[in-house]
């Protein structure tokens, strides 16, 4: 099945930056979607940003001025660039991928998550 491997998390000072990577085992086609979610302590998992193979981007308004998402089709990697990090950005960041096949079947997988901790 499709595998997603996340990396780039760690301890960051408030105001600092981090770049997360999500490496996929499956080629990303035009309508396939890679997305980032996060789950802060005691909260539900929430959507952060997504990008399609064709380059369509969605970013949640609360972070749109600080985060950006991109993808490298050849390397099969989605990135989440985070700047001006705040303590409330702390959480586990997960990569989600959705692949739609020609027969209509959909593959939907999650990465293992990477911890981002922002110190005040």
């Amino acid at each position: 099945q499709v595998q997603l491997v996340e990396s780039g998390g760690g301890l960051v000072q408030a105001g600092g930056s981090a770049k997360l990577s999500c490496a996929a085992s499956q080629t990303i086609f035009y309508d396939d979607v890679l997305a980032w979610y996060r789950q802060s302590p005691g909260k539900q998992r929430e959507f952060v940003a997504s990008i399609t193979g064709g380059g369509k981007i969605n970013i949640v308004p609360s972070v749109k001025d600080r985060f950006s998402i991109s993808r490298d089709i050849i390397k099969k990697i989605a990135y989440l660039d985070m700047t001006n990090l705040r303590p409330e950005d702390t959480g586990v960041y997960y990569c989600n991928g959705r692949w739609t096949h020609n027969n209509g079947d959909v593959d939907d997988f999650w990465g293992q998550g990477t911890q981002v901790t922002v110190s005040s």
Side-chain angles (χ1 to χ4, degrees):
Q1 62 180 23
V2 175
Q3 294 181 338
L4 301 171
V5 180
E6 297 146 319
S7 62
L11 179 62
V12 185
Q13 294 184 9
S17 302
K19 185 175 183 177
L20 308 183
S21 298
C22 172
S25 63
Q26 173 67 47
T27 300
I28 304 166
F29 293 97
Y30 192 87
D31 291 322
D32 298 328
V33 183
L34 293 176
W36 287 96
Y37 292 73
R38 67 184 181 185
Q39 187 166 16
S40 300
K43 296 183 178 181
Q44 297 293 312
R45 188 174 300 183
E46 64 176 353
F47 171 82
V48 178
S50 66
I51 188 167
T52 69
K56 181 181 179 181
I57 292 171
N58 285 300
I59 303 178
V60 68
S62 61
V63 303
K64 194 171 185 178
D65 59 334
R66 300 183 294 118
F67 293 6
S68 65
I69 189 169
S70 61
R71 85 278 188 265
D72 187 320
I73 295 297
I74 296 174
K75 294 182 179 179
K76 297 181 290 187
I77 297 176
Y79 302 99
L80 183 68
D81 282 289
M82 305 182 292
T83 63
N84 194 23
L85 285 163
R86 306 165 182 171
E88 52 263 41
D89 294 319
T90 293
V92 180
Y93 285 70
Y94 297 92
C95 182
N96 172 263
R98 293 180 64 87
W99 283 262
T100 302
H101 302 280
N102 288 337
N103 64 359
D105 290 344
V106 177
D107 291 330
D108 190 326
F109 298 100
W110 292 91
Q112 78 286 353
T114 183
Q115 176 72 42
V116 175
T117 302
V118 184
S119 62
S120 60

